[in-house]
């Protein structure tokens, strides 16, 4: 009690931060923009220049995309395109969806968000909490494929009365939000002295809007674009050749097409980022700088540390940190997830070391049961009957070519069928009940690696690679025949060319291992005391 009574005498006066305290807002949308610019103290201490980060996760919805979500909605209102009660549909990697859903919740619009399966559960949960309807699409679908998030959004818009796709990929409100807002904030915060700006490119609206405005007052400012390996946004196009169109884990940046709002002519230099360096840097920013940012922030900072090495003392480099760690609590913030994906630096992320007698044993030392698989066109009701008959709670799924594409689990089917999102009479593929983030190990993998996998999932698929040779025949073309002096109608023109051998590598399931299988091996009588 004495401490409470003595509070006035212990006071040092009003907090100096009160000068930054804003007046009351009419609604939460007024909390979009005016994000802090923070100087890096440790990670960039080896550089002579000043390195600042623009913390966009301080926006109301948690990301830089709140700016364009609000701007696109407000511009559509001003033009009379949308009215209260209409439905807003948007294909997105998640953050733009949250920005639009936030505006829709406050302003009274319905909202449907279409996003690939790759995007985090946390984004989906936030969108649901904001009242948005969620449609998931295959991650591997090309942007113009019928089942891509963009194509599905267009289909929904045609089927839904009074609905609109504001379209972040082509909407000028996207770069304008940064031309009018973000860029001017940075110029004001640094008294107009910006020598380098570094930003990841997704739709490209952020980097295009920033570059256009900042180069007006700072024509010598270097604009550095960051594009993940697997994406094709970087210039020259040869930069995209290593790993072209391969999958990557960092969310929110990169695409397999060039969005209309991306002006690559404004970008002076491109740097390709890798998952490992990006996500480890994200964790360094959290630990060493206290910046609770997401994976694409790690991409931007990793690239900036390379690019800013060319700057001199007194010059300023600004890096955009697009979103917060809130979106990745079960992914890059998890040590187990990072280790499972081999994103290890032996400093922040250290691989588990098993010193037990069994750690160097191999998966082939386990007694594996003959596996049972189902094809992707099997109906859900038949898969359920099979699981019941065999006493399993999961079964691997193979495609038409015999390759493993995922696992059907009792839990996944229960969730979708009971909620009415899938019918028992549809195939497991059409019902969307195939769980694709399963773990695969070879027969020669160490049990220590298996134990690490089983820390994340209750089971692992044991696969072996099989090389399959297939005969493929092809007829000589007419141009080939004439080139060799053979006239049309000549019997020799009907002779088939020599058979060519085509080699295909397939993954074949040879077993399923669960935690109990590993525990049984460890505690079995197979091991003699001398092996302990």
């Amino acid at each position: 009690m004495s401490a409470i009574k003595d509070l006035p005498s212990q006071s040092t006066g009003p907090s100096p931060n009160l000068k930054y305290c804003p007046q009351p807002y009419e609604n939460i949308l007024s909390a979009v923009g005016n994000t802090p610019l923070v100087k890096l103290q440790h990670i960039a201490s080896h550089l002579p220049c000043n390195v600042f980060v623009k913390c966009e996760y301080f926006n109301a919805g948690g990301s830089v995309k709140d700016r364009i979500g609000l701007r696109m909605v407000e511009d559509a209102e001003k033009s009379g395109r949308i009215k209260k009660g209409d439905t807003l549909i948007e294909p997105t990697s998640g953050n733009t969806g949250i920005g639009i859903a936030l505006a829709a919740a406050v302003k009274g619009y319905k909202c449907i968000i279409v996003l690939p399966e790759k995007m985090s559960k946390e984004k989906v949960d936030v969108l649901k909490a904001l009242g948005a309807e969620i449609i998931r699409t295959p991650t591997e679908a090309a942007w113009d494929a019928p089942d891509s998030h963009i194509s599905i959004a267009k289909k929904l818009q045609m089927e839904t009365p009074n609905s609109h796709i504001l379209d972040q990929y082509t909407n000028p409100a996207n770069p304008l939000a940064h031309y009018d807002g973000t860029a001017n904030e940075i110029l004001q915060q640094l008294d107009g002295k910006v020598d380098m700006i570094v930003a990841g490119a997704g739709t490209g609206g952020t980097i295009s809007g920033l570059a256009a405005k900042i180069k007006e007052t700072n024509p010598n400012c270097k604009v550095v674009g960051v594009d993940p390996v697997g994406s094709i946004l970087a210039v020259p196009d040869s930069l995209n050749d290593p790993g072209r169109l391969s999958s990557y884990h960092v969310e929110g940046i990169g695409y397999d097409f060039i969005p209309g709002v991306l002006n690559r002519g404004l970008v002076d230099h491109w740097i390709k980022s890798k998952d490992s360096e990006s996500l480890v840097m994200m964790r360094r920013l959290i630990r060493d700088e206290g910046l609770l940012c997401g994976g694409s922030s790690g991409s931007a900072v990793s690239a900036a540390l390379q690019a800013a090495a060319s700057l001199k003392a007194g010059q300023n480099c600004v890096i955009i940190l697009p979103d917060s760690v809130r979106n990745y609590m079960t992914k890059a913030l998890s040590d187990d997830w990072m280790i499972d994906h081999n994103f290890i630096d032996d400093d922040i992320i250290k691989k588990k070391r098993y010193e037990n007698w069994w750690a160097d044993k191999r998966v082939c030392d386990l007694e594996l049961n003959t596996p049972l698989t189902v094809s992707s066109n099997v109906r859900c009701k038949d898969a359920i009957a099979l699981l019941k008959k065999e006493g399993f709670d999961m079964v691997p799924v193979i495609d038409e070519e015999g390759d493993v594409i995922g696992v059907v689990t009792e839990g996944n089917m229960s969730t979708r069928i009971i909620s009415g999102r899938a019918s028992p009479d549809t195939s497991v593929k059409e019902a969307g009940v195939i769980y694709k983030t399963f773990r695969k190990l070879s027969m020669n993998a160490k049990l220590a690696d298996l134990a690490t996998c089983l820390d994340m999932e209750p089971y692992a698929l044991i696969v072996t690679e099989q090389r399959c040779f297939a005969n493929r025949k092809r007829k000589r073309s007419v141009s080939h025949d004439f080139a060799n002096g053979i006239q049309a109608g000549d019997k020799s023109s009907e002779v088939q060319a020599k058979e060519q051998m085509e080699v295909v590598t397939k993954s074949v399931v040879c077993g399923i291992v669960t935690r109990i299988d590993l525990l049984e091996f460890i505690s079995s009588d197979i091991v003699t005391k001398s092996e302990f």
Side-chain angles (χ1 to χ4, degrees), residues 185-204:
E185 290 173 24
I186 293 170
L187 290 168
Q188 180 176 320
Q189 288 167 321
L190 290 175
D191 295 325
K193 300 174 183 177
V194 185
D195 301 287
M196 178 177 287
I197 188 88
V198 182
T203 63

Side-chain angles (χ1 to χ4, degrees), residues 35-45 47-57 182 185-199 210 214 222 285 289 291 293 297 300-305 308 311-322:
T35 55
L37 192 68
V38 179
K39 186 176 181 180
L40 294 183
Q41 297 296 320
H42 305 290
I43 288 175
S45 59
L47 297 174
C49 64
N50 302 312
V51 179
F52 297 93
V53 291
K54 183 73 166 162
C55 300
E56 287 299 292
Y57 53 86
T182 320
E185 290 173 24
I186 293 170
L187 290 168
Q188 180 176 320
Q189 288 167 321
L190 290 175
D191 295 325
K193 300 174 183 177
V194 185
D195 301 287
M196 178 177 287
I197 188 88
V198 182
L210 288 172
I214 291 175
K222 298 298 181 184
L285 286 164
E289 301 283 354
L291 298 166
C293 56
S297 299
V301 172
S302 292
L305 294 182
L311 298 182
K312 300 176 182 178
Q315 291 188 298
N316 296 326
C317 171
V318 177
I319 311 166
I320 304 300
L321 304 188

Side-chain angles (χ1 to χ4, degrees), residues 67-76 166-168 170-180 205 261:
R67 294 177 184 266
I68 73 167
L70 179 58
R71 178 67 183 255
M72 290 193 298
V73 169
E74 288 183 338
D75 282 5
L166 299 183
D167 193 7
Q168 60 176 324
T170 61
N171 195 322
N174 181 345
L176 279 171
H178 302 291
Y179 181 89
D180 292 337
V261 295

Side-chain angles (χ1 to χ4, degrees), residues 213-224:
K213 185 63 179 181
I214 291 175
K215 279 180 176 286
E216 287 179 357
T217 55
N218 296 261
N220 294 323
C221 177
K222 298 298 181 184
V223 177
V224 179

